[in-house]
Amino acid sequence: MSVGEAIRARFPIFEHTTYANSCSQGALSNDVRQAYDEYLAGWNQHGAEWEHWVERAEAARAAFARIVNAEPGEIAVTTSVSQAVSALVSALPLEDGRRRIVISEFEFPTVGQIAHAQELRGAEVVHVRPEADGRIPLERFAEAIDERTALVCCTAISYRSGYRLDVAEVARLARERGALCLADSYQAAGAVPLDVRALGVDLLTAGTVKYLLASAGLAFMFVRTDLHERLLPTQTGWFADEDIFRMDISDYSPAADARRFDAGTPPVPNIYAGLAGMRIVEEAGVEAIDQHVSGLVGRLLAGLDELGATVVTPRGEGEHGPLVCVESTDAEALVAALHDGGVVTSSRDRSVRVSLHLYNVEDDVDRILAGLAENRSLLA
Ligand SMILES: Cc1ncc(COP(=O)(O)O)c(C=O)c1O
């Protein structure tokens, strides 16, 4: 039995819908629903379960650490990637000649907007733009990163085109020039193997909304151990303090490890959900998910070729993950037409985004292709 068939029954949406929109929101599992129930039941039964809730937050930190091959002490628990990245840039001095933030053109809006907000603090933001074929050659990064660069933001997989950037090589360029490298991996975590050591990144972010199969309000940031002492976030909160329960307001004494990038009260309900979602991912294994999804993506691409569709996502070896973007003459109309036929996708730019995950099966791919064939006039 394929990974998809084995797991599918835990996601009731598949009883009536062909769900191919995990790039936007992972499907709801019975496990995640039960986790929310468990949170409410505990609250109802015991009142304020603070010790247990803090222990759950630590379990989530450890689960994400396992997924990216880090130590729990290298993971910050936040409510969003935005919160994590804002805390990170608040720790960058942006002085001594290192005022540059280099961002790929494929960064999620939040990363680009936070980078530009630092212009108010004297930062200079440099965009690394793709070629006409949708790829960003390494030379473009090499030209942009220099001894003036404080931070390089290189998203792992583009939410807009599905293009997978060569994070390891960009991290190497950043390191050679003394800059930090942040890989926002929201569109990758849970779907493709991520190993912070192999990638050589300094920082990596992701959240639970998409391929980690939970809901909004929980995200993580990996911060490499030897950076902890040097990075002092000025955007902070009491859960980032070295001793949360001392309740001391006489100074700023952040935690020694990546917890210094946490902030206020942890998002407890979302942590319950996040733990349940990440458990499913870990049980299936990211390698197995990646293999399963690669097979489905191959079937989808072959079918799209037969249809004569224009695939926006670069399709070379290692150039894509679970997300395939297909050009349309009217992407919103095509998403709506597919939806009417029971197929859920989403749109960005001029493309329909089809994203596949562990619960999808070949039959889903065939239904998506049939839906696209029925609406052939909306394909570019
Ligand atoms: C690549 C990427 N980064 C970040 C986010 C969201 O960030 P936040 O957790 O701040 O909402 C998304 C969500 O769509 C995303 O796709």
Side-chain angles (χ1 to χ4, degrees), residues 23 79-83 108 110 155 157 159 184 186-187 210 219:
C23 58
T79 52
S80 64
V81 164
S82 306
Q83 187 211 319
F108 195 73
T110 207
T155 195
I157 295 180
Y159 76 101
D184 177 14
Y186 216 137
Q187 293 291 337
K210 304 170 196 300

Side-chain angles (χ1 to χ4, degrees), residues 212-268:
L212 293 180
L213 299 173
S215 53
L218 179 62
F220 304 97
M221 179 164 67
F222 158 76
V223 186
R224 218 186 57 225
T225 298
D226 57 299
L227 295 172
H228 297 166
E229 207 178 6
R230 172 178 140 198
L231 293 176
L232 283 166
T234 56
Q235 180 186 294
T236 187
W238 65 305
F239 269 76
D241 196 76
E242 65 179 355
D243 183 357
I244 300 167
F245 299 106
R246 201 171 64 207
M247 308 265 175
D248 176 11
I249 62 165
S250 62
D251 68 357
Y252 170 50
S253 43
D257 61 11
R259 194 168 55 72
R260 62 178 51 195
F261 290 94
D262 290 17
T265 306
V268 179

Side-chain angles (χ1 to χ4, degrees), residues 47-72:
E49 286 197 291
W50 278 112
E51 266 179 38
H52 183 57
W53 290 339
V54 169
E55 180 273 315
R56 297 282 74 200
E58 292 315 307
R61 199 186 304 277
F64 185 74
R66 287 193 299 274
I67 288 171
V68 298
N69 190 31
E71 296 298 323

Side-chain angles (χ1 to χ4, degrees), residues 103-252:
I103 65 172
S104 87
E105 195 62 14
F106 290 129
E107 297 311 301
F108 195 73
T110 207
V111 173
Q113 289 160 9
I114 292 167
H116 280 286
Q118 306 318 302
E119 288 167 344
L120 300 173
R121 298 172 53 215
E124 181 202 348
V125 181
V126 177
H127 287 240
V128 184
R129 301 190 198 277
E131 308 278 288
D133 66 4
R135 298 174 170 90
I136 307 185
L138 267 185
E139 300 88 86
R140 297 288 95 77
F141 281 99
E143 286 155 16
I145 306 169
D146 62 18
E147 65 292 339
R148 291 169 293 178
T149 309
L151 177 67
V152 180
C153 302
C154 173
T155 195
I157 295 180
S158 164
Y159 76 101
R160 282 164 63 182
S161 72
Y163 176 49
R164 192 163 169 180
L165 284 87
D166 192 344
V167 172
E169 281 303 300
V170 174
R172 186 182 57 76
L173 288 172
R175 195 164 50 248
E176 277 172 12
R177 286 150 202 187
L180 299 178
C181 180
L182 161 70
D184 177 14
S185 304
Y186 216 137
Q187 293 291 337
V192 301
L194 284 174
D195 179 332
V196 291
R197 311 283 171 224
L199 291 171
V201 288
D202 303 290
L203 305 135
L204 179 144
T205 47
T208 53
V209 176
K210 304 170 196 300
Y211 301 94
L212 293 180
L213 299 173
S215 53
L218 179 62
F220 304 97
M221 179 164 67
F222 158 76
V223 186
R224 218 186 57 225
T225 298
D226 57 299
L227 295 172
H228 297 166
E229 207 178 6
R230 172 178 140 198
L231 293 176
L232 283 166
T234 56
Q235 180 186 294
T236 187
W238 65 305
F239 269 76
D241 196 76
E242 65 179 355
D243 183 357
I244 300 167
F245 299 106
R246 201 171 64 207
M247 308 265 175
D248 176 11
I249 62 165
S250 62
D251 68 357
Y252 170 50

